[in-house]
Amino acid sequence: KRLVLVKAEAQAINPEIRKTEAKVVDSVVVTELSKPLTAYCRCWRSGTFPLCDGSHVKHNKATGDNVGPLLLKKQ
Ligand code: FES
């Protein structure tokens, strides 16, 4: 038997939410954070998941998607 590997086609992971925006980014302001800004991945592509490492940029270019991180900002 031969094993045939098929490369998965890049696909968007956001089918309908806020598609008129170039990139969906939300912010939450909290009063107690150790760092002034923390970005959490929502594209499931980050090499440092759950933190965003910017991998969403490559994903968006490859798929036409518009995903971005959740930003936690220290007030
Ligand atoms: Fe996933 Fe940035 S790497 S949102």
Coordinates of all heavy atoms in Angstrom, one line a residue:
K1 N 0.8 -1.2 0.0 CA 0.0 0.0 0.0 C 0.9 1.2 0.0 O 1.9 1.3 0.7 CB -0.9 0.0 1.2 CG -2.0 -1.0 1.2 CD -2.9 -0.8 2.4 CE -4.0 -1.9 2.3 NZ -4.9 -1.8 3.4
R2 N 0.4 2.3 -0.7 CA 1.1 3.5 -0.8 C 0.4 4.6 0.0 O -0.9 4.6 0.0 CB 1.2 4.1 -2.2 CG 2.3 3.4 -3.0 CD 2.5 3.9 -4.4 NE 2.5 5.4 -4.4 CZ 2.3 6.1 -5.5 NH1 2.1 5.6 -6.6 NH2 2.4 7.4 -5.4
L3 N 1.1 5.4 0.8 CA 0.5 6.4 1.5 C 0.7 7.7 0.7 O 1.8 8.1 0.3 CB 1.2 6.6 2.9 CG 0.7 7.8 3.8 CD1 -0.7 7.6 4.2 CD2 1.6 7.9 5.0
V4 N -0.4 8.3 0.4 CA -0.4 9.6 -0.4 C -0.8 10.7 0.5 O -1.9 10.7 1.1 CB -1.4 9.5 -1.6 CG1 -1.4 10.8 -2.3 CG2 -1.1 8.3 -2.5
L5 N 0.1 11.7 0.7 CA -0.2 12.9 1.5 C -0.7 14.0 0.6 O -0.1 14.3 -0.4 CB 1.1 13.3 2.3 CG 1.6 12.3 3.2 CD1 2.9 12.8 3.8 CD2 0.6 12.0 4.3
V6 N -1.7 14.6 1.0 CA -2.3 15.7 0.2 C -2.2 17.0 1.1 O -2.6 17.0 2.2 CB -3.8 15.5 -0.1 CG1 -4.4 16.7 -0.9 CG2 -3.9 14.2 -0.9
K7 N -1.5 18.0 0.5 CA -1.4 19.2 1.3 C -2.7 19.9 1.4 O -3.5 20.1 0.5 CB -0.4 20.2 0.6 CG -0.1 21.4 1.3 CD 0.9 22.3 0.6 CE 1.2 23.5 1.4 NZ 2.1 24.4 0.7
A8 N -3.1 20.2 2.7 CA -4.3 20.9 2.9 C -4.3 22.3 2.3 O -3.3 23.0 2.4 CB -4.6 21.0 4.4
E9 N -5.4 22.7 1.7 CA -5.6 24.0 1.1 C -5.8 25.0 2.2 O -6.5 24.7 3.1 CB -6.7 24.0 0.1 CG -6.6 25.0 -1.0 CD -7.7 24.7 -2.0 OE1 -7.7 23.7 -2.7 OE2 -8.6 25.6 -2.1
A10 N -5.2 26.2 2.1 CA -5.4 27.2 3.1 C -6.8 27.7 3.0 O -7.3 27.9 1.9 CB -4.4 28.3 2.8
Q11 N -7.4 27.8 4.2 CA -8.8 28.2 4.2 C -9.0 29.2 5.3 O -8.3 29.2 6.3 CB -9.7 27.0 4.5 CG -9.8 26.0 3.4 CD -10.8 24.9 3.7 OE1 -11.3 24.8 4.8 NE2 -11.0 24.1 2.7
A12 N -9.9 30.1 5.1 CA -10.3 31.1 6.2 C -10.9 30.3 7.3 O -11.6 29.4 7.2 CB -11.2 32.1 5.6
I13 N -10.7 30.8 8.6 CA -11.3 30.2 9.7 C -12.5 31.1 10.2 O -13.2 30.6 11.1 CB -10.3 30.0 10.9 CG1 -9.7 31.3 11.3 CG2 -9.3 29.0 10.5 CD1 -8.8 31.2 12.5
N14 N -12.6 32.3 9.7 CA -13.7 33.1 10.1 C -14.7 33.3 8.9 O -14.5 34.0 8.0 CB -13.2 34.5 10.4 CG -14.3 35.5 10.8 OD1 -15.5 35.1 10.9 ND2 -14.0 36.8 10.8
P15 N -15.8 32.5 8.9 CA -16.7 32.5 7.8 C -17.6 33.7 7.7 O -18.0 34.1 6.6 CB -17.6 31.2 8.0 CG -17.6 31.1 9.5 CD -16.2 31.6 10.0
E16 N -17.9 34.4 8.8 CA -18.9 35.5 8.7 C -18.8 36.6 9.7 O -19.5 37.6 9.5 CB -20.3 34.9 8.8 CG -20.6 34.2 10.1 CD -21.9 33.5 10.1 OE1 -22.3 32.8 9.1 OE2 -22.7 33.6 11.1
I17 N -18.0 36.6 10.7 CA -18.0 37.6 11.7 C -17.2 38.8 11.3 O -16.0 38.7 11.0 CB -17.4 37.0 13.0 CG1 -18.3 35.9 13.5 CG2 -17.2 38.1 14.1 CD1 -17.8 35.1 14.7
R18 N -17.8 40.0 11.2 CA -17.2 41.3 11.0 C -16.3 41.2 9.7 O -15.1 41.7 9.8 CB -16.4 41.7 12.2 CG -17.4 42.1 13.4 CD -16.8 42.0 14.7 NE -15.6 42.9 14.9 CZ -15.0 43.0 16.0 NH1 -15.3 42.3 17.1 NH2 -13.9 43.8 16.1
K19 N -16.8 40.7 8.7 CA -15.9 40.5 7.4 C -15.7 41.8 6.7 O -14.9 41.8 5.8 CB -16.6 39.5 6.5 CG -16.7 38.1 7.1 CD -15.3 37.5 7.4 CE -14.7 36.9 6.2 NZ -13.4 36.2 6.5
T20 N -16.3 42.9 7.1 CA -16.0 44.2 6.4 C -14.8 44.8 7.0 O -14.2 45.7 6.4 CB -17.2 45.2 6.6 OG1 -17.4 45.4 8.0 CG2 -18.5 44.7 5.9
E21 N -14.2 44.3 8.1 CA -13.0 44.8 8.7 C -11.8 44.1 8.1 O -11.8 42.9 7.9 CB -13.0 44.6 10.2 CG -14.2 45.3 10.9 CD -14.3 45.0 12.4 OE1 -13.3 44.8 13.0 OE2 -15.5 45.0 12.9
A22 N -10.7 44.8 7.9 CA -9.5 44.2 7.4 C -8.9 43.2 8.4 O -8.4 42.2 7.9 CB -8.4 45.3 7.1
K23 N -9.1 43.4 9.7 CA -8.6 42.5 10.7 C -9.4 42.7 11.9 O -9.6 43.8 12.4 CB -7.1 42.8 11.0 CG -6.5 41.9 12.1 CD -5.0 42.0 12.2 CE -4.5 43.4 12.3 NZ -3.1 43.5 12.4
V24 N -10.0 41.6 12.5 CA -10.8 41.7 13.6 C -9.9 41.6 14.9 O -9.2 40.7 15.2 CB -11.8 40.5 13.7 CG1 -12.6 40.6 15.0 CG2 -12.7 40.5 12.5
V25 N -9.9 42.8 15.6 CA -9.1 42.9 16.8 C -10.0 43.5 17.9 O -10.7 44.4 17.6 CB -7.9 43.8 16.6 CG1 -7.1 44.0 17.9 CG2 -6.9 43.3 15.5
D26 N -10.0 42.8 19.0 CA -10.8 43.3 20.2 C -9.8 43.6 21.3 O -8.8 43.0 21.5 CB -11.8 42.3 20.6 CG -12.8 42.0 19.6 OD1 -13.5 43.0 19.2 OD2 -13.0 40.9 19.2
S27 N -10.2 44.6 22.1 CA -9.4 45.0 23.3 C -10.2 44.9 24.6 O -11.4 45.2 24.6 CB -8.9 46.4 23.2 OG -8.0 46.5 22.0
V28 N -9.5 44.5 25.6 CA -10.1 44.4 26.9 C -9.2 45.2 27.9 O -8.0 44.9 28.0 CB -10.3 43.0 27.5 CG1 -10.9 43.0 28.9 CG2 -11.2 42.2 26.5
V29 N -9.7 46.2 28.5 CA -9.0 47.0 29.5 C -9.1 46.4 30.9 O -10.2 46.3 31.4 CB -9.4 48.5 29.4 CG1 -8.6 49.3 30.5 CG2 -9.2 49.1 28.1
V30 N -8.0 46.1 31.5 CA -8.0 45.5 32.8 C -7.1 46.4 33.7 O -6.1 47.0 33.2 CB -7.6 44.0 32.8 CG1 -8.6 43.2 32.1 CG2 -6.3 43.9 32.2
T31 N -7.3 46.4 35.0 CA -6.5 47.2 35.9 C -5.3 46.5 36.4 O -4.3 47.1 36.8 CB -7.4 47.7 37.0 OG1 -8.0 46.6 37.7 CG2 -8.5 48.7 36.5
E32 N -5.3 45.2 36.5 CA -4.2 44.4 37.1 C -3.6 43.5 36.0 O -4.1 42.4 35.7 CB -4.7 43.6 38.3 CG -5.3 44.4 39.4 CD -4.2 45.2 40.1 OE1 -3.0 44.8 40.1 OE2 -4.5 46.4 40.5
L33 N -2.5 44.0 35.4 CA -1.7 43.2 34.5 C -0.3 43.4 34.8 O 0.1 44.5 35.1 CB -2.0 43.6 33.0 CG -3.3 43.0 32.4 CD1 -3.4 43.6 31.0 CD2 -3.2 41.5 32.3
S34 N 0.5 42.4 34.6 CA 2.0 42.5 34.9 C 2.7 43.2 33.7 O 3.7 43.9 33.9 CB 2.6 41.1 35.1 OG 2.4 40.3 34.0
K35 N 2.1 43.2 32.5 CA 2.7 43.8 31.4 C 1.7 44.8 30.8 O 0.5 44.6 31.0 CB 3.0 42.8 30.3 CG 4.1 41.8 30.7 CD 4.6 41.0 29.6 CE 3.5 40.2 28.9 NZ 4.0 39.2 27.9
P36 N 2.1 45.9 30.2 CA 1.2 46.9 29.6 C 0.3 46.4 28.5 O -0.8 46.9 28.3 CB 2.1 48.0 29.1 CG 3.5 47.5 29.1 CD 3.5 46.3 30.0
L37 N 0.8 45.4 27.8 CA 0.0 44.9 26.7 C 0.3 43.4 26.5 O 1.4 43.0 26.4 CB 0.3 45.6 25.4 CG -0.4 45.1 24.1 CD1 -1.9 45.4 24.1 CD2 0.2 45.8 22.9
T38 N -0.8 42.6 26.4 CA -0.7 41.2 26.1 C -1.6 40.8 25.0 O -2.8 41.2 25.0 CB -1.0 40.3 27.3 OG1 -0.1 40.7 28.4 CG2 -0.8 38.8 27.0
A39 N -1.2 40.1 23.9 CA -2.0 39.8 22.8 C -2.2 38.2 22.8 O -1.3 37.5 22.8 CB -1.3 40.2 21.5
Y40 N -3.5 37.9 22.8 CA -3.9 36.4 22.8 C -4.3 36.0 21.4 O -5.1 36.7 20.8 CB -5.0 36.2 23.8 CG -4.4 36.1 25.2 CD1 -4.4 37.3 26.0 CD2 -3.9 35.0 25.8 CE1 -3.9 37.3 27.3 CE2 -3.4 35.0 27.1 CZ -3.4 36.1 27.8 OH -2.9 36.1 29.1
C41 N -3.8 34.9 20.9 CA -4.1 34.4 19.6 C -5.6 34.0 19.5 O -6.1 33.3 20.4 CB -3.2 33.2 19.3 SG -3.5 32.4 17.7
R42 N -6.2 34.3 18.3 CA -7.5 33.8 18.0 C -7.5 33.2 16.6 O -8.6 32.8 16.1 CB -8.5 35.0 18.0 CG -8.7 35.6 19.4 CD -9.9 36.5 19.5 NE -9.7 37.6 18.6 CZ -10.6 38.6 18.4 NH1 -11.7 38.5 19.1 NH2 -10.4 39.6 17.6
C43 N -6.3 33.0 16.0 CA -6.3 32.3 14.7 C -5.8 30.9 14.8 O -5.8 30.2 13.8 CB -5.3 33.1 13.8 SG -3.6 32.9 14.1
W44 N -5.4 30.4 15.9 CA -4.9 29.1 16.1 C -3.7 28.7 15.3 O -3.4 27.6 15.0 CB -6.0 28.1 15.9 CG -7.2 28.3 16.7 CD1 -8.3 29.1 16.4 CD2 -7.4 27.9 18.0 NE1 -9.2 29.1 17.5 CE2 -8.7 28.4 18.5 CE3 -6.7 27.1 18.9 CZ2 -9.2 28.1 19.8 CZ3 -7.2 26.8 20.2 CH2 -8.4 27.3 20.6
R45 N -2.9 29.7 14.9 CA -1.7 29.5 14.1 C -0.4 29.9 14.9 O 0.7 29.6 14.4 CB -1.7 30.3 12.8 CG -2.9 30.0 11.9 CD -3.0 28.6 11.4 NE -3.9 28.4 10.4 CZ -5.2 28.1 10.6 NH1 -5.7 28.2 11.8 NH2 -6.0 27.9 9.6
S46 N -0.5 30.4 16.1 CA 0.6 31.0 16.8 C 1.5 29.9 17.3 O 1.1 28.8 17.8 CB 0.1 31.8 18.0 OG 1.2 32.2 18.7
G47 N 2.8 30.1 17.1 CA 3.8 29.2 17.7 C 4.0 29.4 19.1 O 4.7 28.6 19.8
T48 N 3.4 30.4 19.7 CA 3.5 30.7 21.1 C 2.1 30.7 21.8 O 1.9 31.3 22.8 CB 4.2 32.0 21.4 OG1 3.4 33.1 20.8 CG2 5.6 32.1 20.9
F49 N 1.2 29.9 21.1 CA -0.2 29.9 21.6 C -0.3 29.6 23.1 O 0.5 28.7 23.6 CB -1.0 28.8 20.9 CG -2.5 28.9 21.0 CD1 -3.2 29.7 20.2 CD2 -3.1 28.2 22.1 CE1 -4.6 29.8 20.3 CE2 -4.5 28.3 22.2 CZ -5.2 29.1 21.4
P50 N -1.0 30.2 23.9 CA -2.2 31.1 23.6 C -1.8 32.5 23.2 O -2.7 33.3 22.9 CB -3.1 31.0 24.8 CG -2.1 30.9 25.9 CD -1.0 30.1 25.4
L51 N -0.5 32.9 23.3 CA -0.1 34.2 23.0 C 0.1 34.4 21.4 O 0.5 33.5 20.8 CB 1.2 34.6 23.7 CG 1.1 34.5 25.2 CD1 2.5 34.9 25.8 CD2 0.0 35.4 25.8
C52 N -0.2 35.6 20.9 CA -0.1 35.9 19.5 C 1.4 36.1 19.2 O 2.1 36.8 19.9 CB -0.9 37.1 19.2 SG -0.6 37.8 17.6
D53 N 1.8 35.5 18.1 CA 3.2 35.8 17.6 C 3.2 36.4 16.3 O 4.3 36.5 15.6 CB 4.0 34.5 17.6 CG 3.6 33.5 16.5 OD1 2.6 33.8 15.9 OD2 4.2 32.4 16.4
G54 N 2.1 36.9 15.8 CA 2.0 37.6 14.5 C 1.7 36.6 13.3 O 1.6 37.1 12.2
S55 N 1.5 35.3 13.6 CA 1.3 34.4 12.5 C 0.0 34.6 11.8 O -0.2 34.2 10.7 CB 1.2 33.0 13.1 OG 2.5 32.6 13.6
H56 N -0.9 35.4 12.4 CA -2.2 35.7 11.8 C -2.0 36.5 10.5 O -2.8 36.4 9.6 CB -3.1 36.4 12.7 CG -2.6 37.7 13.2 ND1 -1.8 37.9 14.4 CD2 -2.6 39.0 12.7 CE1 -1.5 39.1 14.5 NE2 -1.9 39.8 13.5
V57 N -0.9 37.3 10.4 CA -0.6 38.1 9.2 C -0.5 37.1 8.0 O -1.1 37.3 6.9 CB 0.6 39.0 9.4 CG1 1.0 39.7 8.1 CG2 0.4 40.0 10.5
K58 N 0.4 36.1 8.1 CA 0.6 35.1 7.1 C -0.7 34.4 6.7 O -1.0 34.2 5.5 CB 1.7 34.1 7.5 CG 2.0 33.1 6.4 CD 3.1 32.2 7.0 CE 3.4 31.1 5.9 NZ 4.4 30.1 6.5
H59 N -1.4 34.0 7.7 CA -2.7 33.3 7.5 C -3.7 34.2 6.7 O -4.3 33.7 5.8 CB -3.3 32.9 8.9 CG -4.7 32.5 8.7 ND1 -5.1 31.2 8.3 CD2 -5.9 33.2 9.0 CE1 -6.4 31.2 8.3 NE2 -6.9 32.3 8.7
N60 N -3.8 35.5 7.1 CA -4.7 36.4 6.4 C -4.3 36.6 5.0 O -5.2 36.6 4.1 CB -4.8 37.7 7.2 CG -5.5 37.7 8.5 OD1 -6.3 36.7 8.8 ND2 -5.4 38.7 9.3
K61 N -3.0 36.7 4.7 CA -2.6 36.9 3.3 C -2.9 35.6 2.5 O -3.2 35.7 1.3 CB -1.1 37.2 3.3 CG -0.8 38.6 3.7 CD 0.7 38.9 3.6 CE 1.0 40.3 4.0 NZ 2.5 40.6 4.1
A62 N -2.7 34.5 3.1 CA -2.8 33.2 2.4 C -4.3 32.9 2.1 O -4.6 32.2 1.1 CB -2.2 32.1 3.1
T63 N -5.2 33.4 3.0 CA -6.6 32.9 2.9 C -7.6 34.0 2.6 O -8.7 33.7 2.3 CB -7.0 32.3 4.2 OG1 -7.0 33.3 5.2 CG2 -6.1 31.1 4.5
G64 N -7.2 35.3 2.7 CA -8.1 36.4 2.6 C -8.9 36.6 3.8 O -9.9 37.3 3.8
D65 N -8.5 35.9 4.9 CA -9.2 36.0 6.2 C -8.9 37.3 6.8 O -8.1 38.1 6.3 CB -8.8 34.8 7.1 CG -9.9 34.3 8.0 OD1 -10.9 35.1 8.2 OD2 -9.8 33.2 8.5
N66 N -9.5 37.6 8.0 CA -9.3 38.9 8.6 C -9.2 38.7 10.2 O -9.6 39.6 10.9 CB -10.5 39.8 8.4 CG -11.8 39.3 9.0 OD1 -11.9 38.2 9.3 ND2 -12.8 40.2 9.1
V67 N -8.6 37.6 10.6 CA -8.5 37.3 12.0 C -7.3 38.1 12.6 O -6.3 38.4 12.0 CB -8.3 35.8 12.3 CG1 -9.5 35.1 11.9 CG2 -7.1 35.3 11.6
G68 N -7.5 38.4 13.9 CA -6.4 39.1 14.7 C -6.5 38.8 16.1 O -7.5 38.1 16.5
P69 N -5.6 39.3 16.9 CA -5.5 38.9 18.3 C -6.5 39.6 19.2 O -7.1 40.6 18.9 CB -4.1 39.2 18.7 CG -3.8 40.4 17.9 CD -4.5 40.2 16.6
L70 N -6.7 39.1 20.4 CA -7.4 39.8 21.5 C -6.3 40.5 22.3 O -5.4 39.8 22.8 CB -8.1 38.8 22.4 CG -8.7 39.4 23.7 CD1 -9.8 40.3 23.4 CD2 -9.2 38.2 24.6
L71 N -6.4 41.8 22.4 CA -5.4 42.6 23.2 C -5.9 42.9 24.6 O -7.0 43.4 24.7 CB -5.2 43.9 22.4 CG -4.7 43.8 21.0 CD1 -4.6 45.2 20.4 CD2 -3.4 43.0 20.9
L72 N -5.1 42.6 25.6 CA -5.4 43.0 26.9 C -4.4 44.1 27.3 O -3.2 44.0 27.1 CB -5.1 41.8 27.9 CG -6.0 40.6 27.7 CD1 -5.7 39.6 28.9 CD2 -7.5 41.0 27.7
K73 N -5.0 45.3 27.6 CA -4.2 46.5 27.9 C -4.3 46.9 29.3 O -5.4 46.9 29.8 CB -4.7 47.6 27.0 CG -4.6 47.3 25.5 CD -5.2 48.5 24.7 CE -5.0 48.2 23.2 NZ -5.6 49.3 22.4
K74 N -3.2 47.2 29.9 CA -3.2 47.7 31.3 C -3.7 49.1 31.3 O -3.3 50.0 30.5 CB -1.8 47.6 31.9 CG -1.7 47.9 33.3 CD -0.3 47.6 33.9 CE -0.3 47.8 35.4 NZ 1.0 47.4 35.9
Q75 N -4.6 49.4 32.2 CA -5.2 50.7 32.3 C -4.3 51.7 33.0 O -3.6 51.3 33.9 CB -6.6 50.7 33.0 CG -7.4 51.9 32.9 CD -8.8 51.8 33.4 OE1 -9.0 51.0 34.3 NE2 -9.7 52.4 32.7
Ligands
FES1 FE1 -3.0 34.1 16.1 FE2 -1.9 36.5 16.1 S1 -0.9 34.6 15.8 S2 -3.9 36.0 16.3

